[in-house]
């Protein structure tokens, strides 16, 4: 019975816990043998049960390492660089959690890009450029994994990430936007502390594009070398949204498909824009903040002014300049840097 207990503990709980229980049983057997001999004059030799218990534990631990844990080790090798520890744990302990080889899923995709990177790299030696990128990308990518996202790849000075694969992530649009807002705060903190060593002469800025849609996600590449990645129109749309951050002079933009699932958040209509390679216009929204920002009186007033401005621009009203000035003044009290957005 004790041997069966050790087997079950080793396979279904932990070899370390089974070892601790085995040592406890060994100690109890030695104490019981000594007591029965000293008090009753009876000799029960504990040597054979102890040896057999040790052999049982060693054999079961070897079986678990070679067979049971093999799939978990393969998953950890494949996804350890891309996922947070919490997601890795869920994958390892969820049967059939992975659906590799190409799976259509609804994803929230994010692209992050450094503004004026060519200008920065022109005046720095290559080693300094690498040091700058490592500092920046490490700080920003932490927010992806902290919000249960998957780091797809680093493309030069850019980051591609997505949510809701390889396993389901609840409220993935919200987690993607929270990661983007955290990146905004991080880049402001890094600039303020001069973490890049540029001094006051250079402020590092980023642009972030977010879109929610169906994409194909799985292992892609050659048979000998492949990556876990996502492809499809949703990925292309997120990349195009990131590029128009320069056009609208704002750092975080999200599509209507993402914004629709986040009522009560602080978004502003940035218009319907033509994205490169897209036939129809795509409605874009400026991401100002989360629910706490949306409930602030300053944002409530700005939202009203912004609505009036949109109507004035559509009707080509001559009073639009006055509304822009009022919105720009009200935006100064918000943390998102909206003054450039209003020109």
């Amino acid at each position: 019975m004790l041997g069966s207990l050790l087997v079950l503990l080793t396979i279904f709980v932990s070899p370390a816990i089974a070892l601790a229980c085995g040592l406890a049983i060994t100690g109890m057997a030695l104490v019981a043998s000594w007591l029965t001999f000293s008090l009753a004059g009876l000799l029960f030799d504990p040597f054979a049960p102890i040896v057999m218990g040790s052999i049982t534990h060693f054999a079961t631990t070897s079986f678990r390492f070679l067979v049971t844990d093999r799939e978990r080790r393969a998953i950890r090798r494949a996804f350890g660089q891309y996922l947070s520890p919490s997601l890795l744990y869920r994958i390892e302990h969820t049967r059939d959690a992975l659906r590799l080889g190409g799976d259509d899923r609804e994803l929230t995709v994010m692209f992050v890009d450094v503004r004026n990177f060519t200008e920065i790299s022109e005046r720095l030696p290559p080693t300094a450029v690498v040091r700058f990128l490592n500092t920046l990308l490490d700080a920003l990518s932490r927010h992806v994994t902290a919000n249960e996202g998957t780091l797809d790849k680093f493309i030069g000075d850019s980051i591609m990430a997505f949510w809701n694969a390889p396993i389901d992530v609840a409220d993935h649009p919200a987690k993607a936007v929270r990661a983007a807002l955290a990146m905004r705060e991080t880049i402001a903190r890094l600039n303020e502390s001069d973490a890049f060593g540029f001094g006051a002469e250079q402020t590092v800025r980023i642009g972030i594009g977010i879109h929610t849609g169906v994409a194909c996600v799985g292992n892609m590449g050659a048979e000998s070398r492949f990556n876990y990645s996502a492809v499809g129109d949703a990925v292309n749309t997120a990349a195009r949204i990131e590029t128009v951050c320069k056009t609208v002079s704002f750092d975080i933009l999200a599509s209507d498909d993402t914004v629709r699932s986040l009522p009560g958040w602080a978004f502003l209509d940035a218009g319907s824009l033509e994205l490169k390679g897209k036939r129809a216009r795509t409605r874009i929204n400026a991401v100002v903040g989360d629910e706490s920002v949306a409930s602030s009186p300053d944002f409530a007033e700005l939202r009203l002014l912004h609505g009036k401005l949109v109507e004035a621009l559509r009707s080509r009203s001559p009073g639009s300049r006055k509304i822009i000035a009022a919105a720009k003044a009200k935006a100064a009290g918000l943390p998102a840097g909206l003054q450039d957005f209003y020109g």
Side-chain angles (χ1 to χ4, degrees):
M1 289 176 63
L2 292 176
S4 299
L5 174 64
L6 288 178
V7 170
L8 294 175
L9 286 174
T10 302
I11 293 179
F12 296 106
V13 182
S14 167
I17 294 177
L19 177 61
C21 292
L23 292 174
I25 292 171
T26 298
M28 292 169 58
L30 291 173
V31 171
S33 177
W34 178 76
L35 288 175
T36 55
F37 182 74
S38 61
L39 298 178
L42 299 175
L43 176 62
F44 293 99
D45 186 2
F47 181 73
I50 291 173
V51 171
M52 291 307 298
S54 301
I55 294 174
T56 300
H57 178 265
F58 175 79
T60 310
T61 302
S62 301
F63 172 80
R64 171 166 175 164
F65 182 80
L66 294 174
V67 179
T68 308
D69 285 355
R70 181 171 55 192
E71 181 179 352
R72 293 182 182 177
R73 292 196 303 273
I75 291 172
R76 189 164 289 275
R77 283 196 303 269
F79 292 94
Q81 299 179 11
Y82 311 109
L83 303 176
S84 65
S86 61
L87 274 183
L88 271 178
Y89 181 84
R90 286 172 56 190
I91 293 175
E92 290 173 349
H93 293 82
T94 303
R95 185 178 296 275
D96 299 327
L98 295 179
R99 295 184 289 272
L100 303 180
D103 184 13
D104 287 343
R105 298 173 67 92
E106 182 185 71
L107 305 179
T108 298
V109 186
M110 171 193 287
F111 277 85
V112 185
D113 185 66
V114 180
R115 294 289 169 259
N116 301 321
F117 178 68
T118 302
E119 177 186 338
I120 294 173
S121 59
E122 276 183 350
R123 60 186 187 84
L124 293 177
T127 53
V129 174
V130 171
R131 190 162 50 248
F132 159 69
L133 286 177
N134 288 342
T135 301
L136 178 66
L137 298 180
D138 177 69
L140 298 183
S141 61
R142 291 176 187 271
H143 298 300
V144 174
T145 54
N147 287 277
E148 299 187 12
T150 301
L151 278 169
D152 186 302
K153 60 176 70 73
F154 297 108
I155 315 167
D157 61 317
S158 303
I159 300 173
M160 176 184 169
F162 52 80
W163 278 256
N164 206 38
I167 61 174
D168 294 335
V169 175
D171 301 323
H172 53 92
K175 290 175 180 175
V177 176
R178 288 194 192 280
L181 293 172
M183 289 180 184
R184 172 189 283 162
E185 295 177 0
T186 296
I187 198 70
R189 176 175 50 80
L190 292 174
N191 281 319
E192 184 178 353
S193 63
D194 194 23
F196 307 116
F198 295 159
E201 62 185 30
Q202 180 72 57
T203 299
V204 177
R205 295 185 176 185
I206 59 173
I208 303 175
I210 304 172
H211 175 64
T212 301
V214 176
C216 182
V217 61
N219 281 331
M220 301 175 190
E223 291 186 2
S224 59
R225 186 176 179 86
F226 51 82
N227 289 319
Y228 187 78
S229 186
V231 296
D233 183 64
V235 178
N236 298 334
T237 301
R240 298 294 183 256
I241 292 174
E242 180 273 315
T243 59
V244 301
C245 287
K246 302 175 185 177
T247 305
V248 301
S249 299
F250 199 68
D251 60 342
I252 306 177
L253 299 177
S255 68
D256 257 9
D257 297 283
T258 300
V259 169
R260 272 195 295 268
S261 61
L262 299 174
W265 286 55
F267 298 107
L268 292 175
D269 184 6
S272 295
L273 303 179
E274 289 185 359
L275 302 182
K276 184 178 179 181
K278 302 283 291 183
R279 296 178 182 177
R281 286 176 172 265
T282 303
R283 182 163 291 280
I284 306 298
N285 299 269
V287 181
V288 182
D290 57 10
E291 304 96 327
S292 61
V293 176
S295 61
S296 66
D298 285 341
F299 182 76
E301 294 180 25
L302 179 62
R303 194 198 296 266
L304 289 174
L305 285 171
H306 189 83
K308 294 178 181 178
L309 176 60
V310 171
E311 291 299 322
L313 292 175
R314 284 175 180 168
S315 62
R316 297 183 179 180
S317 171
S320 59
R321 290 184 178 274
K322 186 179 295 185
I323 301 176
I324 291 174
K328 190 172 182 180
K330 180 57 65 176
L334 292 168
L338 281 164
Q339 288 183 305
D340 291 339
F341 178 62
Y342 289 109

